[in-house]
Amino acid sequence: RIPLITIHHFPMRPNGQLFPALPSPAVRLAGTVSDWLFWRATKDVDNAQRHDLGLTRATVRSSTRIAERGSLEIQAYDAVCFPGLAEEWAKWAAHRPFVGALTMELATEADAEVESWIAAGTPPICFATGSIPVESPKDTLDMISAAGAQLDERVLLCAGGTDFSEMPIPDHVKVVGVANYARVFAASKAVVHHGGSGTTAYSLRAGVPTLILWSSADQPYWGNQLERLKVGASRRFSKTTSESLVADLHRILTPDYAIRARELATKMTKPRDSITKAADLFEGAAARRNG
């Protein structure tokens, strides 16, 4: 009887909003089937653990058990990112509250240097490669710098987990390691990243157009939503070329994308409010259990 709280960084429960280009009933059915197949693949392990804990065998998938139990499923993203989802899940509203992304916005050692570089010229296009190293750092740097040169834009490359230190850096490119996305993105003309839930939240809150070059996991879902909301574009990273990168950036750098991105940012939950609401929900769940 210990309270169970799950945190979802994108809509994991079956719904009709993940693939906007497809009919909602079909998307919802596909999610339900996928959920069931996962349960079939893991139920023996699940029940072995339950046996060791002295619990009865489970006969339905865990997501169903969680819903029937009325456990708290915190949606750590904004409902505005998935139009129609809050209405679709209305009957679970009390158990699936939307709190917004739980981003920390921590300062980094590079902040002063980066802000000084940004202030010395026009707002750059910011590329954030994420914590997982890219497979071909040189090719990636060449493609990014070439795109910036062709568009006559400065480029800020937040390298994250990729080492670009042994490579010549063009004059219009600034390479840093870990950076404060909240401050850097807000000072940029556009942002290009892998499409993780946290990074996407930073770019949407910053109110700048975003290009997602995705690989796996929840990344393509976030790319779908940016396309749907018309605040950005998306493409599989492995299919990205110098030509496609320039074309995608040229598309999202048009004024209409900037206007829509700024408007959407006003509808996003503020970081402090997201964290406060999540903490209140945790404490509330614990208090009900102790009571």
Side-chain angles (χ1 to χ4, degrees):
R1 297 184 180 276
I2 297 173
L4 173 66
I5 302 173
T6 59
I7 300 181
H8 297 173
H9 301 287
F10 76 105
M12 292 185 64
R13 299 306 182 216
N15 66 87
Q17 310 305 324
L18 280 183
F19 294 97
L22 299 177
S24 291
V27 175
R28 192 177 305 111
L29 176 60
T32 301
V33 171
S34 176
D35 210 23
W36 182 83
L37 289 173
F38 182 79
W39 155 241
R40 294 292 298 176
T42 60
K43 70 172 186 174
D44 289 343
V45 176
D46 188 355
N47 279 318
Q49 183 186 50
R50 292 177 67 85
H51 178 269
D52 292 342
L53 294 172
L55 300 174
T56 59
R57 288 180 60 83
T59 57
V60 295
R61 59 189 189 272
S62 61
S63 59
T64 300
R65 282 177 269 150
I66 288 172
E68 290 177 346
R69 184 177 176 178
S71 295
L72 187 60
E73 298 181 84
I74 291 177
Q75 307 302 306
Y77 53 91
D78 276 294
V80 69
C81 296
F82 294 86
L85 183 61
E87 291 77 11
E88 183 175 335
W89 282 355
K91 69 177 181 179
W92 293 293
H95 303 295
R96 297 180 186 175
F98 295 90
V99 304
L102 305 177
T103 55
M104 298 180 70
E105 302 187 318
L106 298 177
T108 73
E109 294 180 358
D111 287 351
E113 176 188 353
V114 172
E115 289 177 9
S116 176
W117 180 85
I118 291 175
T122 57
I125 298 174
C126 180
F127 288 79
T129 59
S131 58
I132 300 176
V134 299
E135 292 184 5
S136 304
K138 183 180 184 304
D139 292 341
T140 300
L141 178 60
D142 288 346
M143 181 171 65
I144 289 172
S145 61
Q150 186 169 338
L151 293 167
D152 194 25
E153 300 284 356
R154 297 199 303 162
V155 170
L156 175 64
L157 175 54
C158 299
T162 303
D163 184 7
F164 294 101
S165 61
E166 301 300 321
M167 303 172 196
I169 308 299
D171 291 340
H172 67 290
V173 178
K174 172 72 172 176
V175 178
V176 297
V178 178
N180 184 332
Y181 285 172
R183 296 169 69 172
V184 168
F185 287 3
S188 300
K189 181 176 294 186
V191 179
V192 183
H193 59 74
H194 58 293
S197 58
T199 312
T200 302
Y202 276 117
S203 61
L204 292 178
R205 281 172 167 167
V208 294
T210 301
L211 170 60
I212 287 179
L213 302 179
W214 57 270
S215 297
S216 62
D218 60 333
Q219 299 167 3
Y221 300 133
W222 286 109
N224 286 339
Q225 297 309 312
L226 260 63
E227 296 268 7
R228 178 183 188 179
L229 296 166
K230 297 182 180 179
V231 296
S234 70
R235 186 181 300 273
R236 184 189 289 270
F237 181 64
S238 61
K239 301 293 185 182
T240 301
T241 64
S242 295
E243 293 75 17
S244 72
L245 179 59
V246 170
D248 289 337
L249 286 172
H250 190 269
R251 171 185 165 195
I252 68 170
L253 286 171
T254 56
D256 287 349
Y257 278 84
I259 292 170
R260 287 190 293 265
R262 287 195 296 269
E263 181 182 355
L264 180 64
T266 65
K267 301 175 183 178
M268 300 284 289
T269 308
K270 302 299 183 185
R272 181 179 295 274
D273 295 338
S274 295
I275 294 169
T276 300
K277 186 173 182 180
D280 288 345
L281 288 166
F282 268 75
E283 290 176 350
R288 286 191 295 275
R289 166 65 178 86
N290 293 333

